Amino acid sequence: MAAEWIEQITGSFEDKKRWRQYKARKKQLPASYRTAIDGIERYLMYAGSIVKGDVFLQMLEDLADLIERAAVDGTPIRDIVGDDPVDFADTFIQNYSDGQWINKERKRLTDAIDQAADDEA
């Protein structure tokens, strides 16, 4: 019971554990792959606008899976992200759109317009 109360203030303990695991996985990567994942992660934090912690962590874990596999296979970074890393990151983010704050605002807008249309009828 105390743990639930503390989690309401500090956030999910499970999410914090997943975050630490993700960071540990990154440290195990070869330097060039770690540089790439750090850059992609930074971009995702700014451009992703993901407000759900579990969705954000899933996105990072999936990214770590991808980069780890590439490192094991010896796949060059450019073969993963292509010539345009921004395009790669933007495409990657689209797979996690349910965690983005804009979806909540899109629903609010749709609901407001539906309500207005119903009021006119």
Side-chain angles (χ1 to χ4, degrees), residues 42-99:
R42 180 176 170 84
Y43 183 82
L44 295 175
M45 285 185 171
Y46 284 101
S49 303
I50 295 176
V51 294
K52 292 182 178 178
D54 60 329
V55 173
F56 183 71
L57 286 169
Q58 185 61 54
M59 179 176 65
L60 292 179
E61 290 167 346
D62 291 346
L63 178 65
D65 289 344
L66 177 69
I67 300 295
E68 283 173 343
R69 267 189 241 131
V72 168
D73 295 342
T75 305
I77 295 297
R78 281 284 177 202
D79 286 356
I80 302 167
V81 301
D83 292 333
D84 186 355
V86 173
D87 184 51
F88 167 81
D90 287 341
T91 303
F92 191 80
I93 290 169
Q94 290 175 0
N95 294 318
Y96 304 93
S97 64
D98 61 332

Side-chain angles (χ1 to χ4, degrees), residues 2-116:
E4 291 177 20
W5 182 79
I6 293 171
E7 279 187 327
Q8 286 185 352
I9 295 171
T10 63
S12 167
F13 292 149
E14 181 61 27
D15 286 351
K16 292 180 187 330
K17 180 179 174 184
R18 289 173 64 193
W19 173 253
R20 285 191 296 271
Q21 289 172 338
Y22 165 74
K23 298 294 263 182
R25 289 173 67 188
K26 278 190 358 175
K27 284 184 180 179
Q28 300 297 317
L29 290 169
S32 61
Y33 293 92
R34 193 170 48 245
T35 300
I37 198 170
D38 284 344
I40 295 168
E41 176 190 310
R42 180 176 170 84
Y43 183 82
L44 295 175
M45 285 185 171
Y46 284 101
S49 303
I50 295 176
V51 294
K52 292 182 178 178
D54 60 329
V55 173
F56 183 71
L57 286 169
Q58 185 61 54
M59 179 176 65
L60 292 179
E61 290 167 346
D62 291 346
L63 178 65
D65 289 344
L66 177 69
I67 300 295
E68 283 173 343
R69 267 189 241 131
V72 168
D73 295 342
T75 305
I77 295 297
R78 281 284 177 202
D79 286 356
I80 302 167
V81 301
D83 292 333
D84 186 355
V86 173
D87 184 51
F88 167 81
D90 287 341
T91 303
F92 191 80
I93 290 169
Q94 290 175 0
N95 294 318
Y96 304 93
S97 64
D98 61 332
Q100 292 180 320
W101 67 269
I102 195 68
N103 291 334
K104 186 176 179 182
E105 295 307 316
R106 287 178 180 142
K107 182 174 179 346
R108 281 186 182 164
L109 174 60
T110 301
D111 291 347
I113 299 301
D114 289 346
Q115 181 65 41

